[in-house]
Amino acid sequence: MSTTCVYPLEPEPAFRLAKLAGFDGLEIMVTNEPTTQDARILRELSEAYDLPVLSIHAPVLLLTHFVWGRDPEIKLQRTAELARDTGASTVVVHPPFRWQAGYATQFLDIVRRISTDSGVEIAVENMFPWRAAGKNLKAYSPGWDPRVMDCDAVTLDCSHAALSGVNSMDFVRDLGSRLRHIHLCDGSGPIGEGQIFDEHLLPGHGNEPVAEVLETLAARGWDGQIVAEINTRKAKSEAERLDLLRETVEFARRHTAAARAPQRPSAYATDSLRPGAAE
């Protein structure tokens, strides 16, 4: 489970809810909240709730502009260090904004160097075009689509795929072995067709072939991570939020169960999701 599922809650309640919902581990989104940046606290929470930190999302959102300074290369370096210090194997990063000109020019080289130096896999996430006055804007550089980038690892976000108008299965087919990380969510359609924001619907509640994505990857013996990144902010109570999180876990397990059946035929409901841990 990504901590963004319960934003703006802090990591401690995120760990607690993830445990109650039945996830196998967490992805920490680095934000302005100090505990998301503190390896010691995250390790203590991980031990207390018996849930590993499996991935770290770099502070690349506009609301985290000043986290760890303003240099995006230093932010990515610090994220990789946090991943290494918490035992996480993966860092998720967005492509640079177009106005980050110097960083954007060197982005792919920086990603590869920091990944090599830290021993942490850095997976570049697919984004989507921005629109204003009916026109697409070039918000990202070298672009929003990592399929055409020279990067070794990619994160597929199914809500972003919906917004971009690219079927998630196209990403799966085109990326091949470079697909290493999934943000499990859904979306109802592309920008310009009634959608103006990133929905992060529960999987199965939109129009993306999320079930097919999971089934295809599981059948391949894929060993990446499946991370729930859903929007639960409209939940009116903790119980309602837990229901949404549990539905997401069950969706992931159900659509990877066929591939897991020969290995663990009697433990579908409780064993860790393999291949690809349900976070």
Side-chain angles (χ1 to χ4, degrees), residues 90-191:
T90 304
V91 162
V92 176
V93 66
H94 293 180
F97 291 113
R98 176 181 53 79
W99 51 85
Q100 297 173 310
Y103 174 59
T105 300
Q106 304 176 61
F107 173 66
L108 296 173
D109 290 336
I110 289 170
V111 165
R112 187 164 283 124
R113 174 176 53 77
I114 292 177
S115 179
T116 299
D117 291 348
S118 65
V120 174
E121 189 167 65
I122 300 179
V124 180
E125 185 171 354
N126 65 304
M127 298 306 290
F128 45 86
W130 288 15
R131 287 181 67 85
K135 296 181 180 180
N136 285 343
L137 302 178
K138 184 176 172 57
Y140 300 100
S141 180
W144 57 265
D145 188 347
R147 293 178 299 173
V148 297
M149 298 180 197
D150 181 24
C151 52
D152 298 324
V154 173
T155 294
L156 167 60
D157 184 299
C158 295
S159 179
H160 295 175
L163 274 178
S164 69
V166 180
N167 187 290
S168 292
M169 279 303 300
D170 288 342
F171 279 104
V172 172
R173 285 188 288 265
D174 295 343
L175 288 167
S177 62
R178 294 197 298 147
L179 178 57
R180 300 297 306 140
H181 203 73
I182 299 289
H183 277 169
L184 181 61
C185 48
D186 210 332
S188 59
I191 292 176

Side-chain angles (χ1 to χ4, degrees), residues 17 29 33 41 64 68 88 101 125 167 187 249 256 260 272 279:
L17 289 169
M29 167 66 85
E33 165 54 46
I41 292 175
T64 60
W68 292 334
E125 185 171 354
N167 187 290
V249 173
T256 57
R260 290 184 294 123
S272 296
E279 297 180 56

